[in-house]
Amino acid sequence: MRRELNYSEITLDRSKPDLLFIQLAAELRRQINSTCLNCEAVLPSARNLAEKLNINRATVGKAYLELLKLGLIERKSSRILQISRNLRRKTIEPYPNIGIILPCRFSDLISSHGDMPLLYIKGIIDAATEKELAAIMLELPGLSASAAEIERFNDSLMKRLIGIVHLGGRDCFPDRPLEAVMRNENLPQVMISAYPEMRNIGAVVFDTASGARALAEQLCAMRHRKVGLILYASGFDSTGSDGYFSYAAFRRPAEIRAVFREYGLACEERYMCFSCNSYLATFNALQKKVNAGDLPTVFWCHNDELAH
């Protein structure tokens, strides 16, 4: 790769429909891209280059102006132009990005939900990397954001991203920033483990039935006949909906219970523990079952945190 520009290789054709300054700008770009990046080579003055190429000085000036707009050259002084010192970044190919919309700050998400969000994020990043995509994590504007702030945020997504992955909502309705993003039909979007209310958004959810049948077969092989369910939710009719989508996890208990009954396992109401959304609530619910003396032989837990 050369370290100096070779203006003798520049060819301009007045018979072409393109204006001469457009042709010259394209030729200079080709020359710049074929030299050593960041060499900071000084360009000849508009007068000198015009004389070498036998063209009007104004034509060179317009070509230089085009390169200045592109950031390929910069002013070393009021009269001297040079190749941009940041040329490597100016010519680098853009790397496609997908955005991961977080319901809160990343640190708060991990603090309040443990390792589960990390498993989702790891899977998204791995899948994106396989497709030569970059994944960036984004937080929505505040709930009190103005319409102008929300519009600016939405516009920035269109400029930066080729798609969006949602990891959940902020448990607030209405959530104008979230709603504005979800209504953006020009940007492909998908939700993880949730069912969106808007048809333009896809959903990636687990297959409960296959796992439940494998578990039911194992329980039957171990001669369990009575199964209790320890649920995070207040009941089987809870949907976890925040107005924009419902969490797939809230549908899981009813689907699990249906499969267990299909295999002849007793899942009676007296074996259920509801609203186990903390360690103390779970401990108290189980203590009541122990005191009542009518226990199932095994409990199924709503999630890993409850099982722990």
Side-chain angles (χ1 to χ4, degrees):
M1 185 175 286
R2 292 196 309 271
R3 292 181 175 273
E4 295 181 358
L5 302 178
N6 186 354
Y7 302 103
S8 63
E9 293 183 359
I10 294 177
T11 58
L12 304 176
D13 188 349
R14 289 179 170 78
S15 65
K16 289 184 178 180
D18 295 335
L19 297 175
L20 283 182
F21 84 89
I22 297 293
Q23 293 184 45
L24 178 57
E27 286 287 298
L28 289 171
R29 284 184 64 180
R30 180 180 60 79
Q31 284 277 317
I32 290 171
N33 289 332
S34 67
T35 61
C36 183
L37 297 178
N38 300 329
C39 65
E40 301 180 33
V42 173
L43 279 70
S45 67
R47 181 192 299 275
N48 288 341
L49 185 58
E51 291 176 354
K52 290 180 180 180
L53 301 178
N54 193 28
I55 58 176
N56 190 287
R57 177 181 171 184
T59 299
V60 179
K62 289 181 179 179
Y64 280 171
L65 184 59
E66 289 296 309
L67 298 181
L68 282 167
K69 290 178 181 178
L70 293 172
L72 298 180
I73 63 174
E74 60 188 13
R75 293 192 181 279
K76 187 174 183 178
S77 68
S78 60
R79 295 185 177 183
I80 300 176
L81 296 171
Q82 67 180 23
I83 295 177
S84 174
R85 289 166 292 182
N86 295 318
L87 183 60
R88 184 179 297 276
R89 296 203 57 81
K90 299 294 183 180
T91 58
I92 194 170
E93 286 292 324
Y95 204 66
N97 293 307
I98 59 170
I100 304 174
I101 301 290
L102 302 177
C104 56
R105 291 179 61 206
F106 179 75
S107 56
D108 295 336
L109 182 68
I110 303 306
S111 298
S112 59
H113 293 85
D115 292 340
M116 188 59 68
L118 283 177
L119 296 176
Y120 286 130
I121 292 170
K122 283 166 57 180
I124 295 168
I125 292 176
D126 287 346
T129 302
E130 290 174 2
K131 298 183 181 299
E132 298 184 348
L133 301 173
I136 57 176
M137 281 168 277
L138 302 166
E139 188 179 348
L140 292 164
L143 295 171
S144 60
S146 66
E149 290 173 321
I150 295 172
E151 184 177 1
R152 282 197 298 272
F153 178 77
N154 225 353
D155 288 343
S156 73
L157 297 183
M158 293 297 297
K159 296 174 182 177
R160 302 166 63 188
L161 307 177
I162 62 169
I164 286 177
V165 179
H166 292 271
L167 288 187
R170 297 190 281 190
D171 298 324
C172 176
F173 186 85
D175 186 336
R176 301 303 182 195
L178 174 62
E179 183 175 341
V181 172
M182 294 180 69
R183 291 192 182 282
N184 188 342
E185 297 187 2
N186 295 318
L187 195 59
Q189 302 180 54
V190 66
M191 308 205 75
I192 303 294
S193 294
Y195 298 92
E197 297 294 331
M198 301 177 190
R199 292 188 175 183
N200 61 296
I201 301 176
V204 178
V205 296
F206 43 73
D207 177 17
T208 302
S210 60
R213 289 193 170 88
L215 175 58
E217 290 175 3
Q218 186 174 1
L219 292 177
C220 290
M222 298 172 68
R223 299 187 178 181
H224 287 291
R225 292 295 177 265
K226 301 176 181 179
V227 182
L229 276 66
I230 303 177
L231 307 182
Y232 181 89
S234 59
F236 288 99
D237 56 348
S238 296
T239 62
S241 175
D242 66 354
Y244 301 107
F245 54 86
S246 58
Y247 291 104
F250 281 83
R251 301 188 185 187
R252 191 188 310 164
E255 296 171 349
I256 288 280
R257 183 177 61 172
V259 172
F260 285 171
R261 287 177 172 174
E262 177 186 325
Y263 278 76
L265 296 167
C267 297
E268 298 177 18
E269 193 75 16
R270 67 180 186 272
Y271 301 143
M272 307 298 167
C273 297
F274 298 105
S275 299
C276 295
N277 48 24
S278 69
Y279 173 83
L280 185 60
T282 307
F283 180 87
N284 290 337
L286 288 171
Q287 189 66 55
K288 288 180 181 179
K289 300 299 180 187
V290 172
N291 294 338
D294 185 14
L295 290 170
T297 58
V298 65
F299 278 108
W300 174 85
C301 297
H302 201 150
N303 54 35
D304 292 345
E305 188 177 0
L306 272 179
H308 178 70

